[in-house]
Structures are given as C-alpha cells and as structure tokens.
Amino acid sequence: MLRIWGRISSVNVQKVVWCCDEIGLAYERIDVGGAFGRNNTPEYLAMNPNGLIPVIEDEGFVLYESNAVVRYLAAKHSEGKLWPSEPRARADVDRWMEWQSTGYTPSMTQVFWQLVRTPPEKRDAAAIEASRKNGEKHSAILDAHLKGREFVAGDAFSTADIVAGCAAHRWLNLPMAREPRPELERWYAMLKSRPGARQVTSLPLT
Ligand SMILES: N[C@@H](CCC(=O)N[C@@H](CS)C(=O)NCC(=O)O)C(=O)O
C-alpha cells in the first residue's frame, strides 16, 4: 500500500492526502515532523536528505517534494483527468501549482506561524502585518483569476485546485480579519463540497 510520511497539519502533506482522497487511493499515513519528530533520523534522511515532509513510498519508489508527489500520483492514477495530458492544458495546471508553492503559501507562512503556532506574548506584529499584506496580494490575484471560472485551470477540477485549495483552506481559516474575496470564497465552498476534499478541508489549523 502507498505510504505517506508526514503529519496531517502540514499543508504539504495535506496536498498529497487530498490528491489520494480524490483518486480514491488507499494509503497509510505515518505521523512524522513537527512535534512527532523522526524526520531527522538516518533512515528518514535516506528517503529525503532535506529532512522535510511529505515523503511517499510507492512499491519501493520513494519521492519527496509535495507538488512532484501530487503530479506523480495524478499521472499514475488519473492522467488526462486530474493532471491533463495536452501540453498547454498541463502547463496551465503546472503554472498554478508553481504559483501556489512559490508564491501563495510562502506569502502566508509568517502570519500562519505567528497567529497559530506562536504564543501571543512572543508574536512579531511587524512580521504578521507584512505577511498578511502579502497573503492579501496573492489572494486578490487568485480571486480576480477565478472570476468567470469554475476551476483554477481549464474547465475541470485538477491538481491545481488541490494545491491552491490547500493554501486557500489555510488563508480562509486564519484567525484574523481578511478582505472579502467573493470569487475565491465561492470556489473554496465548491471545493469543500467534494467528497475527496472533505478530510483536508475539515482540518482545523494547528
Ligand atoms: N518544498 C517542499 C517543502 C516541504 C516542507 O517545507 N515541509 C515542512 C512542513 S509543511 C516540514 O517538513 N517541516 C519540518 C517539520 O515538519 O518538522 C514540499 O513541497 O514538499
């Protein structure tokens, strides 16, 4: 059975879990990273020398980097559906996946860590504000893009919706005031209604 290494509170693990749930793929998930530790043991570092989660093991094939894992699983089990085959359609999905991993999620890392994982007396107000602004900037881009579109890329649900949806789940659940983003909120509500999204979009931020 497919094995996923990584605690479920990690946004990068959530992407892989959501992808499996969409496909209907059975998996075993093992809690490592964060308070669980075990991601800096020699055995773990042999799978991922970065000591980061997630890692998957699929019948002896070991892979890390969450978006590469999502693409691999979609290519293996859902090619032409979750991950398009046609080059331009695929490039569009890939573009938004890159945008999520290099832009959207990093934009909110500080505000998430400060408001969710840092005790109030240790918080850095300037870091929170800078990250909040950056998260708003990225959310505005996605909101504008989603106007007149049902999905992030093309006219069908794809891996771009999964990874951007994980980032949006985090953004929309941060304990702070946000600008209204009607298109982003409509799209996220639609994602939440998918059976494959249920597990990840029900998770509290921790
Ligand atoms: N680019 C990597 C980033 C992986 C990453 O930063 N993972 C974080 C959790 S989201 C991690 O392993 N943190 C250390 C820990 O949990 O102990 C990916 O997308 O898989």
Side-chain angles (χ1 to χ4, degrees), residues 7 10-13 15 32-34 39 51-54 64-67:
R7 60 186 162 82
S10 151
V11 69
N12 291 311
V13 173
K15 295 187 234 174
V32 294
N39 49 327
L52 296 174
I53 54 171
Y64 59 86
E65 285 300 332
S66 58
N67 282 4

Side-chain angles (χ1 to χ4, degrees), residues 36-96:
F36 297 99
R38 290 176 63 199
N39 49 327
N40 280 311
T41 62
E43 295 76 20
Y44 193 87
L45 292 172
M47 294 194 294
N48 182 355
N50 302 291
L52 296 174
I53 54 171
V55 169
I56 62 156
E57 281 179 280
D58 183 26
E59 294 167 355
F61 177 61
V62 175
L63 188 64
Y64 59 86
E65 285 300 332
S66 58
N67 282 4
V69 170
V70 166
R71 287 190 187 96
Y72 165 75
L73 293 173
K76 182 172 174 188
H77 300 283
S78 184
E79 190 167 8
K81 290 187 195 155
L82 270 188
W83 197 43
S85 311
E86 194 280 316
R88 291 185 183 183
R90 177 176 290 187
D92 191 22
V93 167
D94 284 346
R95 171 238 308 268
W96 284 102

